[in-house]
Amino acid sequence: MTAATKMPDSPRVAHSRLHARLFGAFKLTAADGREIGVTGKRARALLAILCLEPGVAIERDRVCELLWRGGFRAQGRASLRQTLLGLKKQLSPIMPDLLIATRERVAVNAAIVGSDLAELESALTHGPNPRASELLLEIGGRPLLGRLDFGEPFRQWLEVRRAQVEQRLQRAVEDALSDWERRGNDRERARLLDAWRLRDPATGAAQSETRIRVAVLPFKSIDAADEQGHFAQGLCEELITTLGQSPQLLLAGRGSSFNSKDSERPLPEIARALHVSHLILGSVRRRDSELRVHVSLVEGSSGFECWSQGYRGNTGNLFGLQEDIARSVSRELARALGLEIGLPGPRPTTPNKAAYELYLQGRALTARAIGDGVLDKAVELLEASLAIDPGFAACWTALAEAHVYTAVYTPCLDRLEKSARMAECARRAIELDQAQGHARAMLGIHCWTRNDPIGALDLAHEAYRLEPDNPDVALRLGSFLLYIGRTREALPYIEGAIDQDPVNGRNFAMLCVAQFNLGNLDEAAAAGQRMVDLGLPSMWLAVVTAASGNRELAVEQYWQTRLLMNTVIFPPAGTRPLTGSTLDTYWRMAARGVCSGRAVHRKVYCAMLDYLHATLPDPCDTSIVAPAIWMGYARMVFKTLGTQITPANMYCLMSLWADVEPIRRVRRHPEFLAFAQRIGLVAAWDKYGWPDLLPAPDRAGKSP
C-alpha cells in the first residue's frame, strides 16, 4: 500500500475556494482575503502537507512518522485523530467539506482548496502567461513550507519534496521562456527570467538557504594617524567585497555591518540581528608604512572564537595582504563547516597603493554620509585617487555614490548638477568595467531626473543581473518599481535586500511603504517602527498609524520627527534651521495637517506648503512634496514632481500608491494621467506593466 493515494472525487461544493500559501510560512485564507487561523503547530503542519497535493491522500501512519516521531504507533494515531477532530471543529463553520478522512488515509478536498504553488504551475504550463512572472516575484526566494521542523525524518521528507518542486518549476520556466522567445516577446521573457533569478537555486535568492551567511564587522583601528578609522573601515569594506565573490558565501550588507560598530550587544545577538552564522572581526595597527592586521572568525550562535590569525605587511603590499586574509577566512570557514568553498580570486582594482588608500578612506566617509563636511571630504579623497589612476573603475563608482549621497542627504541647491556629475562618474565606471552593476543602478537615478523611468528601470534590471547579491542594487530595483506603482513586483526585491542587510533603516522605509501600499497596515507599522528604532524619521510610521485610525498617536509620532532636525534630516536648502518654539510650532502644524484627519488642520498646512513653494530657493524640496502626497494635495504634487524630479524628492513617488484617504485623491484627480504622462510614468507602465491600483487603458486607448 502506498503512502499517497488519489482519493475518489468528492462532490463539488458551493463554497468559495480557500487559498493556501505554501512558500514561506504556511497561511490559509478565505476567498475574501481573510486569514483563517489554525491553532496548533502540528495542525498547521498537517494542513500544509495535505495542501501540497489537494485530493491526494496520505496514509495516516506516514503522517505520524513525520509529525509524531518517537512514540508508539497507537499514540501517534491517537494524536493524529485528535488533531483531525480539532481541525474539523475549527474549519467546519468556514468550510465543512475541506478534510476528507478515511480509516487509513487523509486528504483535503481538491475542489475547494488551491495554493500559490498550484497557481504558479498552472500559469507556467498553460501557455505564455504574464501572471507567472508576477507569481514568481510574489514568492521570491521563500522556501517551500518554511519554518516547519519536526525532526530528522520530517526534514529529509521535506528536502525531497522541495527538490521535486524546484525541478518541476525549473522545467516549466524553461519551457515558458522558450515560448516567449518563439513569440518574439523579449519584454515578457526578460521579466520571467528576472523573476526566476529570485528563486533559481543556481543564481537566485533561494540559494541563500544553502549558502554560508557571514558578516564582517567593522575593524578596530589601533592607529593615532587613523583616528576616525577610515583606513580600517575601508579595508573592512574591501574584505566584504572580496569575500562576496565566493559563490558559497552570502555577505551581510555593509550598511548593517557598519551599524553594528561600537555595539555593546553580545556577539550572538549581533549574529542573530544580521541573520548570519559566522562573524569576522578584526583590528588594524599601522605605523608609518608597516601594517599589522588581526582577524578572527567567531561562531555566531555561541560567540566563541573558532579561528584567529595575525598578518604583517606594509602599505606597499596592501592588495596581497587583503587577498591573503580573504583566502584564509574562506579556508577556515570551509574547514569549520566541512564544506568546499571556492577561494575568491583577484578583483580588478588599481595597482597604485596611494590611489588605493585614498579610495579606501573616501569610500569609508561615503558610507557615513551624515555629518558636517563628510561627503565633501569623501569627494575630495576619491577625486585625488582618480587623479593618480583615472582607470580605477571601482573608484569612479564610489565617486558616483558620493555625489548622489550629497544630492540626497545634504541641503544643497545644486542637486541636478550633482546628479549630472554622478551620471558622468557612473558612465566612466561602466566604460572601464562592464561588470559595475551598482554604477548602472545609480545612473538610473539620473534617468528619473530627466523624466525617463524606462531608462531607469532598464538600468536597474541590468544592474541586478550583474550584482544579484548586492543589497543596494536589489533595493534600488525595488524602489524604482515602487515609484511606478508596481508594489507587488517590488516587494521581493525589498525583502531580499533586508534579508541580506537587516540593520539598515533605509531598507525598512521601503518595506514600510510597500506594505502600506498593499494595505497590510500591521506589517507596515512594524517596518515603520523598525525604521524609527534604527534612527530614521517617524513620518511614515505616523502616516500608517493615522490610516489605522489612531490619529492622536499618529500626530505625536509625526511631531517626534523634529528631534532629528540637523542630524538625520536637514532644513530646506538655502534656509536657516528653525529653533525653539518656532521649530515646535511648525512641526505641530505639520503633524496635525498630515495626521489629525481634520479638514481645518489640512487646510492650514496646505496653505503653509503654498507659502513654502513660493518662497523656498528649491520650490520642489522634499519638505513640500512628501506632505503634499500624504494630504492628497494633488495640485501641489503636480507643481513639484511635475516640474522637476531630483535625487532628493524622487522617493516621494512611492507614497502615491496607497489606497487610503486622503492619499488616493492625487491618483483620482482628473489631471493625474496628464501628470503621469509628463514625467514618463505612462511610457514606463506600457513597457513594465500598469500599477496595481490603476487599470490599463482599454483597446481604444482610453482609461476605464
Side-chain angles (χ1 to χ4, degrees), residues 4 35 92 128 131 206 239-240 262 389 402 473 485 524 531 572 645 668 691:
E35 181 175 358
S92 288
R131 178 64 177 150
L239 184 58
I240 292 173
D262 301 323
D389 182 1
V473 169
M531 176 181 64
I645 294 175
R668 293 180 175 179

Side-chain angles (χ1 to χ4, degrees), residues 326-341:
R327 287 173 175 270
S328 294
V329 169
S330 299
R331 279 194 295 266
E332 288 305 317
L333 276 169
R335 185 191 60 79
L337 298 173
L339 297 173
E340 291 186 9
I341 296 179

Side-chain angles (χ1 to χ4, degrees), residues 122 126-127 180-181 185 213 277 335 368 415 425 435 450 454 457 466 511 623:
S122 176
H126 292 96
W180 285 124
E181 187 173 10
N185 194 327
R213 304 175 69 103
S277 63
R335 185 191 60 79
R368 282 177 52 189
R415 290 192 172 105
C425 297
R450 304 174 69 181
I454 288 180
L457 282 157
L466 290 168
L511 180 62
S623 61

Side-chain angles (χ1 to χ4, degrees), residues 304-568:
F304 293 149
E305 182 180 283
C306 50
W307 167 82
S308 67
Q309 180 71 47
Y311 300 86
R312 299 184 67 172
N314 57 66
T315 54
N317 188 36
L318 191 58
F319 313 123
L321 183 63
Q322 180 183 302
E323 286 184 18
D324 286 345
I325 294 171
R327 287 173 175 270
S328 294
V329 169
S330 299
R331 279 194 295 266
E332 288 305 317
L333 276 169
R335 185 191 60 79
L337 298 173
L339 297 173
E340 291 186 9
I341 296 179
L343 299 179
R347 199 166 57 88
T349 182
T350 174
N352 189 288
K353 66 176 184 179
Y356 189 67
E357 186 167 341
L358 289 165
Y359 159 76
L360 291 180
Q361 295 178 38
R363 192 177 180 197
L365 284 173
T366 302
R368 282 177 52 189
I370 304 298
D372 190 24
V374 166
L375 289 169
D376 288 340
K377 184 63 176 178
V379 169
E380 178 186 327
L381 290 166
L382 294 168
E383 287 181 338
S385 173
L386 290 167
I388 297 171
D389 182 1
F392 190 0
C395 192
W396 283 108
T397 296
L399 183 56
E401 187 175 42
H403 281 302
V404 78
Y405 278 14
T406 302
V408 172
Y409 295 123
T410 68
C412 64
L413 282 169
D414 59 345
R415 290 192 172 105
L416 292 180
E417 289 81 358
K418 291 286 191 297
S419 181
R421 177 60 178 147
M422 174 270 290
E424 292 175 8
C425 297
R427 291 190 190 100
R428 182 63 176 143
I430 296 166
E431 288 171 5
L432 292 166
D433 180 6
Q434 289 294 310
Q436 292 289 317
H438 194 199
R440 285 176 169 80
M442 287 184 290
L443 187 56
I445 295 173
H446 189 60
C447 290
W448 279 99
T449 71
R450 304 174 69 181
N451 294 337
D452 181 19
I454 288 180
L457 282 157
D458 289 347
L459 285 163
H461 278 290
E462 178 62 19
Y464 185 77
R465 276 191 284 272
L466 290 168
E467 296 186 38
D469 287 337
N470 186 332
D472 291 332
V473 169
L475 189 75
R476 191 71 66 196
L477 175 54
S479 68
F480 287 1
L481 290 166
L482 273 186
Y483 299 167
I484 69 168
R486 301 282 296 174
T487 304
R488 295 186 186 281
E489 192 172 348
L491 186 59
Y493 296 105
I494 296 168
E495 291 177 332
I498 288 175
D499 181 56
Q500 195 175 346
D501 198 3
V503 194
N504 189 330
R506 180 186 61 163
N507 299 350
F508 285 94
M510 296 292 176
L511 180 62
C512 175
V513 175
Q515 296 289 10
F516 185 43
N517 290 352
L518 294 172
N520 303 325
L521 296 187
D522 289 343
E523 291 88 342
Q529 185 59 59
R530 181 59 176 152
M531 176 181 64
V532 172
D533 294 342
L534 291 169
L536 290 188
S538 56
M539 290 100 77
W540 290 274
L541 174 60
V543 171
V544 172
T545 302
S548 69
N550 194 342
R551 296 192 174 275
E552 185 176 344
L553 174 59
V555 169
E556 182 64 25
Q557 289 171 335
Y558 198 103
W559 190 55
Q560 289 299 315
T561 301
R562 78 196 190 286
L563 302 177
L564 296 179
M565 286 301 300
N566 306 313
T567 54
V568 174

Side-chain angles (χ1 to χ4, degrees), residues 645-693:
I645 294 175
T646 72
N649 69 21
M650 68 173 59
Y651 79 87
C652 299
L653 287 163
M654 66 183 179
S655 294
L656 287 169
W657 306 105
D659 197 23
V660 299
E661 281 293 329
I663 293 174
R664 63 163 68 104
R665 296 182 192 180
V666 178
R667 194 178 69 255
R668 293 180 175 179
H669 194 280
E671 297 178 19
F672 178 74
L673 280 180
F675 156 75
Q677 181 81 47
R678 191 162 67 250
I679 65 173
L681 287 179
V682 173
W685 296 336
D686 286 339
K687 178 172 183 178
Y688 282 101
W690 279 64
D692 302 332
L693 297 176

Side-chain angles (χ1 to χ4, degrees), residues 80-267:
L80 173 58
R81 186 164 53 251
Q82 290 299 319
T83 299
L84 287 169
L85 289 173
L87 273 174
K88 287 183 177 180
K89 184 177 181 180
Q90 292 180 64
L91 297 174
S92 288
I94 305 163
M95 198 65 65
D97 302 313
L98 177 62
L99 291 170
I100 304 172
T102 68
R103 183 178 180 83
E104 296 299 328
R105 302 181 184 87
V106 61
V108 292
N109 191 336
I112 57 175
V113 64
S115 70
D116 49 359
L117 172 60
E119 189 178 0
L120 173 58
E121 291 191 295
S122 176
L124 285 168
T125 56
H126 292 96
N129 187 345
R131 178 64 177 150
S133 300
E134 297 174 10
L135 291 169
L136 270 172
L137 286 165
E138 290 175 11
I139 291 168
R142 292 194 294 270
L144 189 72
L145 300 190
R147 304 182 188 177
L148 293 180
D149 190 356
F150 297 91
E152 189 58 31
F154 180 85
R155 285 194 291 269
Q156 292 177 1
W157 172 85
L158 184 56
E159 183 179 345
V160 171
R161 296 311 302 268
R162 284 175 174 171
Q164 292 170 346
V165 167
E166 296 301 332
Q167 286 177 1
R168 291 205 313 263
L169 290 178
Q170 183 172 2
R171 287 194 295 268
V173 167
E174 289 171 353
D175 290 343
L177 288 170
S178 298
D179 284 346
W180 285 124
E181 187 173 10
R182 282 195 297 271
R183 292 169 182 257
N185 194 327
D186 293 338
R187 182 174 71 88
E188 287 299 340
R189 185 182 185 281
R191 285 187 68 227
L192 180 59
L193 186 59
D194 282 348
W196 180 239
R197 285 176 182 274
L198 288 169
R199 175 122 221 112
D200 182 4
T203 60
Q207 185 186 15
S208 65
E209 295 296 315
T210 57
R211 295 161 75 182
I212 305 164
R213 304 175 69 103
V214 180
V216 183
L217 298 187
F219 282 17
K220 294 181 179 179
S221 180
I222 312 171
D223 179 9
D226 189 28
E227 183 178 348
Q228 295 183 324
H230 299 155
F231 180 82
Q233 181 174 336
L235 185 61
C236 178
E237 287 204 38
E238 284 300 286
L239 184 58
I240 292 173
T241 305
T242 303
L243 286 171
Q245 294 179 88
S246 177
Q248 290 85 7
L249 302 181
L250 186 64
L251 274 290
R254 61 177 182 165
S256 291
S257 290
F258 284 103
N259 275 338
S260 303
K261 186 176 182 180
D262 301 323
S263 174
E264 298 295 329
R265 292 180 299 169
L267 291 177

